[in-house]
Amino acid sequence: MTRRLELHPDRLLPADPTTRAIARALYATVADAAIVSPHGHTDPVWFAENANWTDATTLLLAPDHYLYRMLYSQGVDLDALAIPRRDGVPATDTRAAWRVLADHYHLFRGTPSRMWLDHVFSEVFGLDVAFEPATADLYFDAIGEKLATEAFRPRALFDRFRIDFLATTEGAHDSLDAHRRIRDSGWDGRVVTTYRPDGVIDVEHEQFAGAMRRFAELTGEDVYSWQGYLAAHRKRRADFRAAGATATDHGHPTAATANLSTPACEALFARITGNDWTPADAELFRAQMLTEMAGMSVEDGMVMQIHPGSVRNHNAGLFASHGRDKGADIPGRTDYVHGLKPLLDRFGTSTDLSIILFTLDESVYARELAPLAGHYPCLKLGPSWWFHDSPEGMRRFREMTTETAGFYNTVGFNDDTRAFLSIPARHDVARRIDCGFLARLVAEHRLEDWEAAELAQELTSGLVRRAYRIDDGADKGVGSRSNICNIAA
C-alpha cells in the first residue's frame, strides 16, 4: 500500500498546547516573509543561463553532501550515486542513482535532510505519495517533467520562493563572469557574490599554485611580493563589491589570528611562496591573513565571516578518488578566546568592523562565543551551521547563547547550501524553531507577547539585513506595537 506524503502544519512547534498556540501565532507572522539568504554556495551560472535542470539526481542528489555522506556511512559507494570521480568518469546513470536513494531513504528518518527533502517533494513538486522504492520511478519522472517546464527554471523558482537577496560564494581567483551576465540580463533577481580568498591563502590546498597564477592574471599585481599580494586582494575585493558583494568568507581550519610586524610578514610570505614552508608556517600565514582581511574590512566596509573548525577531507582515500566536498569533513575542537585575541587586540573595539563568527564546536557556545560577542563591538554570532543546522542544533544555539549575548548580537539565519530547492525548507525550519523558542519565553513570562512578535520579525529579516549591511536605511522589518500586541490572544 502506498503511503501518503503529508507535512503536518505544526511540525517542529512545541508539544505543550499553550506554548504551541503562542508559537503558531508568531509563526503566522513570518511564515510567508521574503527570504534573505546572505551566505550560500548555489551556482551563479544557474541564474546567468536560466537553463532547465535535467533530472532529480543532478539537481537534488549530486550537489548535496548531506545526502551521500549518510549513504556512504551505510556502505553505499559514491559510484552508485553518479557522483563524478576526479577523472570525471560517471559510474552509473541518474535514474539508477535515484533508485539507490529511494532504497535507502529510511536512513534519513529523524534527520534535517529528511525534512528538507520532504518539503521539496511536497511544496515544490506537489507530490503527495511517500518517497520509497516503489515510487522511485514515479518521483524521477514527475520531477523530470516539471523541471523541463518554464515554471521550474532557476529564475522562476527564485521568484516563486520569494527570495529577496541571495549571495553565492566565489574565490579570489574566480572571474565573476556569471554575475556579470546576471546583471547584463535585465533580470531583477538580486544575486550577489561573496569574497572567499581561501584558495590564495591556504598554501596547503592542492590548487594553491594555480590559484595564485590566476590571481596575478586577474589583478595585474606582483602577487609573489608581500605588498603586491595585499594590493591584489584590495583590487579583487573592489571587483567583488562591484558585483554586489557585502561580505567576505574565511573557512580556515582554526580560528587562529596573528599580528606580525611587516618584516615578519614579508619573511613568512617569502617562505610560503618559495615552497620552503612548514605546516606551522601555513597555519601562521592563515592566521595573519585573517587579521589582514579584518583591516581591509575596516577600509571597505565588507562584513567578515569566519567559518573555522572543519577537519577537511578526513577520508584520504575518498579525497584521492573523488576530491573535496564529498561528505568527509569532520568538526574539530576550536579555540576562539585565544585564537582571536591578536585580531581583537587590533580591531576588537572598532565600530567600523563587523565579524560574524560560526562554529562546529558546540561546546564553545556558552563558554567562549556568547561572552566574546557579548563584549566586543565588532563581533556577532552566526547561526548554527552545517552539522548543527538542525532543529535541535538551533534550539541548543538559542539556549546556550541568548542569556549572555542576547538576540541582537546574533544575525538571524543563513542556509549555507548548494541545494537551491532546499532553501525555503531550511528557512522554514529556522522560523519554526525560533518561534517555538520565543513562545516558551512568553509562556514563562520572560518576554511580553509584543516583544516576541518583534523578535520573530528581527530573527527572520531585520537582524540579517543589518548584519550583512543589506539595504542600509531600509525598513528593518519590525512592526509597530499597535499591530503586534496580544499575539497569542
Side-chain angles (χ1 to χ4, degrees), residues 32-92:
D32 295 326
I35 289 174
V36 180
S37 177
H39 176 75
H41 300 279
T42 53
D43 189 343
V45 173
W46 293 341
F47 308 106
E49 297 181 351
N50 199 33
N52 291 97
W53 286 288
T54 56
D55 59 80
T57 296
T58 303
L59 176 60
L60 300 175
L61 174 57
D64 197 342
H65 57 71
Y66 286 83
L67 296 180
Y68 48 79
R69 77 182 308 274
M70 175 68 82
L71 299 173
Y72 184 86
S73 77
Q74 289 285 312
V76 178
D77 196 291
L78 295 193
D79 289 349
L81 302 173
I83 307 302
R85 289 176 164 266
R86 280 183 180 269
D87 58 14
V89 177
T92 188

Side-chain angles (χ1 to χ4, degrees), residues 287-482:
Q288 180 63 32
M289 285 309 299
L290 281 182
T291 305
E292 298 293 341
M293 290 292 106
M296 292 184 193
S297 283
V298 171
E299 296 171 4
D300 62 25
M302 293 182 79
V303 177
M304 187 176 181
Q305 301 172 98
I306 303 179
H307 282 85
S310 177
V311 180
R312 306 275 177 174
N313 312 306
H314 195 272
N315 185 331
L318 191 65
F319 176 62
S321 63
H322 287 80
R324 290 178 172 263
D325 302 320
K326 296 300 182 289
D329 298 340
I330 308 297
R333 289 188 296 270
T334 307
D335 179 349
Y336 293 84
V337 170
H338 299 96
L340 292 175
K341 194 171 190 311
L343 185 157
L344 293 174
D345 284 345
R346 278 191 64 182
F347 300 113
T349 60
S350 173
T351 55
D352 294 323
L353 175 63
S354 180
I355 299 176
I356 302 173
L357 299 176
F358 294 78
T359 193
L360 293 176
D361 181 357
E362 290 186 305
S363 72
V364 302
Y365 279 155
R367 186 182 67 243
E368 299 187 31
L369 289 181
L372 284 167
H375 173 74
Y376 284 99
C378 72
L379 297 181
K380 295 286 188 292
L381 301 185
S384 45
W385 163 53
W386 202 341
F387 291 87
H388 312 305
D389 179 13
S390 64
E392 299 307 326
M394 293 172 185
R395 288 190 184 101
R396 288 191 294 268
F397 173 78
R398 292 290 174 209
E399 289 168 352
M400 297 176 73
T401 64
T402 301
E403 290 183 332
T404 300
F407 290 104
Y408 292 87
N409 282 316
T410 66
V411 302
F413 178 69
N414 66 57
D415 47 76
D416 193 18
T417 185
R418 293 175 174 83
F420 177 52
L421 268 67
S422 75
I423 288 177
R426 292 167 187 257
H427 284 260
D428 185 65
V429 169
R431 293 172 188 185
R432 289 172 181 273
I433 294 301
D434 280 340
C435 287
F437 183 76
L438 294 171
R440 179 164 66 84
L441 298 186
V442 173
E444 294 173 358
H445 304 290
R446 296 164 64 186
L447 280 180
E448 297 294 337
D449 54 6
W450 63 264
E451 292 179 297
E454 283 192 358
L455 282 165
Q457 300 292 325
E458 288 281 53
L459 296 175
T460 299
S461 180
L463 294 178
V464 66
R465 289 183 183 278
R466 293 198 295 280
Y468 285 87
R469 297 174 176 172
I470 301 166
D471 302 329
D472 283 348
D475 175 31
K476 301 297 188 289
V478 179
S480 65
R481 292 192 187 185
S482 62

Side-chain angles (χ1 to χ4, degrees), residues 44 48 168 170 176-184 191-193 243:
T168 66
E170 277 69 54
L176 301 182
D177 178 65
H179 285 277
R180 178 192 59 76
R181 286 187 285 153
I182 292 171
R183 293 196 307 275
D184 292 347
V191 179
V192 308
T193 185

